[in-house]
Amino acid sequence: MTARAADRARYDRATAHLDAPVAIVDLEAFDANADDLLRRAGGKPVRVASKSVRCRALLERVLAREGFAGVMSFTLAESLWLARSGFEDVLLAYPSADRARYAELTADPKLASAVTVMIDDPAQLDLIDAARDGGGEVVRVCLELDTSLKLLGGRVRVGARRSPLHSPAEVADLARSVARRPGFEVVGVMAYEGHVAGVGDAVAGRPLRSRAVRLMQAAARRELAERRAAVVRAVRAVAPGLVFVNGGGTGSVQHTAAEDAVTEIAAGSGLYVPRLFDNYTSFRGRPAALFAQPVVRRPGVGAVTVLGGGYPASGAAGKDRLPVPYLPEGLRYDPQEGAGEVQTPLLGTPADDLLIGDKVWFRHAKAGELCERFDTLHLVEGDAVTATVPTYRGEGHTFL
């Protein structure tokens, strides 16, 4: 029996009392992945990206481990909810225009001390001030650096379109804008190198593309390391009390941690290890989060149909954004239909051994987005479900 077949047998036994659709997290794999993130971080603290987890119980589990510290959130509403739930260090990774929540933040000392908001434009400070509604608490702010690699005099850009702040001078200018305004304090700098951390460099069947990605990423790491260090020096000259410099992501942990200027690493997807993280040469994780759909039809030889399953991930539409049939091994989508909203045909020899009601296990393309489809996660240890915990959705929250 292969390791994957053994996992399938465990998961089927553990969830035999549960009807599919059902989602699980294998705690042994989850904990092993956490250990691997810490190993690659080389002693620097890892801030957990909540967007990739979306379950308070699992955030608490990983943050209880030495080496993990703080949460990186994705909306201001989520940030305040987490802070009220006892999370004491929450960094909002994206600028917000949520005036009502800014009014809450600036009126509550506990929230203001726990939450750091992201900015990359003085206009965002104006919005916060206009939303204060009498709240006088000092707002902790983090400045975001654009990490994109610019080539040919800027005519070619590699990287996500996030912050407009690219040079040390631009980031320092914004730091000065914050310093001149009462009610704000610069406490951090963040730089997320998504073109390194979030792009696989070993795509199966595409050796030339994979080599090109590795060359691009090596160049991007060199350029960013030099520029990030210069940015931090420039900001410290304006804000000598700078508390943290955040960088990285699951795919670049060890590279970012090697930079002296970086004080902490951000990671989250590496805990669940969705399918997009199969294509890396720098690390190998264990799939920890899976979901199962039930077989509801047997339309012919070598074919079964499962209920639902069309859970595409965000990003540019493509086959790599679809969940992948994982267990039993050897199933594939019907190219005429793909993954459907209400039913999904699957082809392959293993289909002939599946009965009505059997489970087919899938891996999502991304990590936390799976939790937008399920109210609960069943936590598996060995061949038993040892706990069932709510996702954000199960607690009544869909923040985006």
Side-chain angles (χ1 to χ4, degrees):
M1 180 182 291
T2 66
R4 278 174 60 174
D7 282 341
R8 180 196 175 200
R10 285 197 302 114
Y11 301 151
D12 283 348
R13 286 195 299 270
T15 62
H17 63 296
L18 300 170
D19 288 333
V22 64
I24 66 168
V25 171
D26 184 330
L27 289 181
E28 181 181 331
F30 181 90
D31 290 343
N33 293 333
D35 288 340
D36 185 64
L37 288 172
L38 292 178
R39 176 188 62 79
R40 292 196 288 136
K44 291 189 176 177
V46 177
R47 184 181 291 273
V48 184
S50 64
K51 180 173 73 72
S52 301
V53 179
R54 302 192 204 195
C55 171
R56 278 200 302 166
L58 289 174
L59 287 173
E60 290 166 353
R61 181 184 182 90
V62 71
L63 285 169
R65 301 169 69 93
E66 186 176 352
F68 288 90
V71 174
M72 177 177 281
S73 59
F74 59 99
T75 75
L76 184 55
E78 179 211 11
S79 304
L80 302 190
W81 178 65
L82 289 174
R84 289 183 172 119
S85 300
F87 294 84
E88 297 179 348
D89 180 5
V90 182
L91 169 63
L92 175 57
Y94 306 89
S96 176
D98 189 338
R99 293 175 175 83
R101 275 17 180 269
Y102 275 132
E104 295 177 33
L105 176 70
T106 57
D108 188 319
K110 177 183 176 182
L111 296 179
S113 66
V115 175
T116 301
V117 304
M118 192 67 59
I119 67 167
D120 57 31
D121 189 314
Q124 293 151 354
L125 301 175
D126 296 337
L127 186 147
I128 297 170
D129 270 339
R132 283 182 180 271
D133 194 26
E137 296 298 323
V138 172
V139 176
R140 295 162 54 91
V141 300
C142 178
L143 313 178
E144 182 168 3
L145 168 68
D146 169 37
T147 65
S148 64
L149 176 64
K150 296 186 178 182
L151 305 170
L152 301 178
R155 294 189 295 276
V156 175
R157 173 195 179 100
V158 181
R161 295 185 180 276
R162 291 175 62 111
S163 170
L165 308 175
H166 191 80
S167 70
E170 290 170 332
V171 184
D173 282 346
L174 182 57
R176 278 187 283 273
S177 294
V178 176
R180 287 194 294 265
R181 298 180 72 135
F184 295 94
E185 178 186 12
V186 174
V187 297
V189 172
M190 187 191 84
Y192 172 57
E193 51 267 45
H195 50 301
V196 178
V199 178
D201 63 350
V203 182
R206 306 190 69 178
L208 294 180
R209 172 180 168 79
S210 297
R211 177 168 173 74
V213 169
R214 288 194 291 272
L215 291 172
M216 175 277 291
Q217 290 179 338
R221 289 196 302 267
R222 289 192 298 270
E223 186 275 338
L224 179 59
E226 181 178 336
R227 181 158 53 90
R228 179 155 39 199
V231 165
V232 172
R233 289 194 298 271
V235 172
R236 287 194 186 281
V238 178
L242 195 68
V243 177
F244 65 86
V245 177
N246 181 281
T250 289
S252 68
V253 171
Q254 66 274 31
H255 302 298
T256 308
E259 295 182 33
D260 291 338
V262 174
T263 66
E264 63 175 41
I265 308 298
S269 295
L271 296 168
Y272 287 171
V273 186
R275 64 166 295 195
L276 282 177
F277 286 88
D278 289 347
N279 302 320
Y280 285 78
T281 58
S282 60
F283 77 101
R284 287 287 183 272
R286 292 176 55 183
L290 301 97
F291 67 94
Q293 305 296 117
V295 174
V296 293
R297 301 181 196 264
R298 291 169 51 87
V301 175
V304 292
T305 301
V306 299
L307 182 71
Y311 305 157
S314 59
K319 290 183 179 179
D320 65 340
R321 301 291 143 166
L322 296 178
V324 60
Y326 185 60
L327 302 170
E329 297 180 66
L331 292 174
R332 65 186 185 279
Y333 290 121
D334 181 338
Q336 302 283 336
E337 298 193 47
E341 179 187 11
V342 292
Q343 70 166 36
T344 298
L346 297 170
L347 308 179
T349 302
D352 294 329
D353 295 324
L354 291 169
L355 304 177
I356 299 297
D358 283 352
K359 295 180 175 78
V360 175
W361 294 92
F362 292 78
R363 293 172 64 202
H364 205 280
K366 286 193 171 180
E369 291 183 24
L370 167 66
C371 296
E372 297 299 327
R373 297 286 183 166
F374 291 90
D375 290 340
T376 57
L377 296 173
H378 300 280
L379 308 185
V380 173
E381 296 184 79
D383 60 359
V385 170
T386 56
T388 298
V389 296
T391 61
Y392 280 13
R393 169 177 151 160
E395 296 200 68
H397 296 288
T398 50
F399 291 109
L400 278 178

